[in-house]
Amino acid sequence: MEKKWLAKKAIPAAESSLMASKSILKQYYLDGIAVKATTLRSSIMDEVNKDADTPLKDLLPEIDSVLNYAEKLEAGQEIASLERVLASLDTCIKIQDATLSYTSDKLESDVSFDIGSYELSERGISALDESFLRKILSDKEGYKDQYPDSVITVRIKVVGYTDQVGFKNRKLIAELTRGAEDEVPGDKLGRRQFLNQRLSELRAKAISQYLRQRILSSERGGSQVNVEEDVVGKGETMPPGIIPSNYTNDPQRRVCKIYSTISYMAK
């Protein structure tokens, strides 16, 4: 009899405790995680509005997932669970780390490549080493120290642009069309745009491969670092933030934009 009485008392108490726990989780999600996600989204959108090429925009769907869950919690359409709270918190922390390690730069093709070439010049290599690579390597080592049991991933994105000038160098034309001879348009404008598109891709690729090689060569023994590359050629497209001019050979258009972020994952 006494056991039944205790059970009647214990069950409501347990239910009340569970409801209180869920209420605390919900409030923590709304007041802590959702606020953090909102702040992160705002800072990322600032970067996206300044530069449409930024890879930070790829983080927006994850942030929106956190915020959508917060909206459903507030509307009573979802019940807070510890698993979801921890997962969302982890998402926010990783996104914040990615924004803190975010690096961007712009290389002028006239400095970084010799005329009629898509191989990095000595000046281009020096510019990469000084203005970009040094910070990536420093951030990478910092992440390895902070997350010793994780695999560190450095993501490199390079976007290449060209001017609107045609090609006279037969050797370069042959190199740009090699393996794609059947794809070259027959008209003069289409041919020029095709060649500039290929040139922008190959210059972006040259930068990305150099950075990848330098990052991996800085590792010793059992490496815990991966490098992911995203190479984009935009040819004669006007780079974001550049005021259009009537000059077909405007040097402001001959650029390669470079970005990097760093993330980690438990082994």
Side-chain angles (χ1 to χ4, degrees):
M1 191 75 176
E2 186 177 351
K3 289 182 179 179
K4 288 183 179 180
W5 181 83
L6 287 173
K8 286 183 179 180
K9 288 282 188 179
I11 291 173
E15 290 176 343
S16 176
S17 176
L18 182 61
M19 288 179 63
S21 297
K22 288 180 177 178
S23 177
I24 292 171
L25 282 176
K26 175 182 176 180
Q27 212 54 47
Y28 175 72
Y29 199 98
L30 296 176
D31 295 344
I33 297 175
V35 170
K36 189 177 190 67
T38 300
T39 303
L40 284 170
R41 195 182 198 288
S42 177
S43 65
I44 289 174
M45 283 306 303
D46 286 343
E47 290 293 333
V48 173
N49 290 332
K50 287 189 292 185
D51 184 359
D53 287 331
T54 175
L56 289 181
K57 63 185 177 184
D58 297 336
L59 300 173
L60 291 174
E62 290 185 88
I63 296 179
D64 289 341
S65 174
V66 172
L67 294 175
N68 288 338
Y69 185 71
E71 289 179 3
K72 291 180 179 179
L73 274 181
E74 201 159 26
Q77 298 170 355
E78 294 278 359
I79 298 176
S81 69
L82 180 60
E83 292 80 6
R84 183 60 189 259
V85 168
L86 293 175
S88 294
L89 179 61
D90 186 57
T91 295
C92 286
I93 291 173
K94 287 185 176 180
I95 289 175
Q96 183 178 45
D97 283 346
T99 59
L100 290 175
S101 71
Y102 176 64
T103 307
S104 65
D105 203 356
K106 181 171 66 178
L107 284 186
E108 298 176 5
S109 295
D110 292 2
V111 174
S112 307
F113 299 92
D114 293 329
I115 296 175
S117 172
Y118 49 84
E119 293 184 5
L120 275 168
S121 65
E122 289 298 323
R123 289 190 299 172
I125 290 173
S126 295
L128 275 176
D129 289 348
E130 290 297 320
S131 65
F132 197 77
L133 189 61
R134 182 181 296 176
K135 184 178 186 304
I136 294 177
L137 296 180
S138 175
D139 286 346
K140 171 179 70 74
E141 292 303 317
Y143 272 62
K144 286 172 63 178
D145 291 340
Q146 188 173 356
Y147 306 104
D149 298 322
S150 297
V151 175
I152 308 301
T153 298
V154 181
R155 292 183 172 86
I156 303 292
K157 179 178 181 180
V158 186
V159 185
Y161 291 88
T162 68
D163 56 25
Q164 293 178 301
V165 175
F167 293 75
K168 296 180 180 179
N169 186 323
R170 291 186 177 181
K171 180 182 177 183
L172 178 60
I173 292 173
E175 291 175 352
L176 294 177
T177 56
R178 185 178 296 120
E181 290 83 357
D182 295 339
E183 301 174 27
V184 182
D187 63 291
K188 186 176 180 180
L189 174 61
R191 177 182 173 84
R192 186 199 76 204
Q193 291 175 337
F194 176 87
L195 292 173
N196 274 320
Q197 174 65 30
R198 295 276 286 185
L199 181 61
S200 68
E201 292 170 0
L202 290 171
R203 284 181 168 175
K205 186 177 181 180
I207 292 173
S208 183
Q209 288 182 336
Y210 173 76
L211 291 172
R212 175 187 176 85
Q213 183 270 326
R214 286 296 308 276
I215 293 168
L216 293 179
S217 67
S218 69
E219 293 297 303
R220 297 176 182 174
S223 174
Q224 62 185 68
V225 174
N226 295 324
V227 179
E228 294 182 359
E229 299 174 86
D230 183 9
V231 176
V232 181
K234 293 200 172 181
E236 298 180 6
T237 306
M238 186 66 69
I242 300 298
I243 299 174
S245 70
N246 294 324
Y247 298 104
T248 58
N249 64 341
D250 186 350
Q252 294 185 94
R253 300 180 62 160
R254 298 192 292 271
V255 296
C256 284
K257 298 165 67 179
I258 319 162
Y259 309 87
S260 77
T261 56
I262 300 177
S263 62
Y264 58 91
M265 182 176 293
K267 292 181 180 178

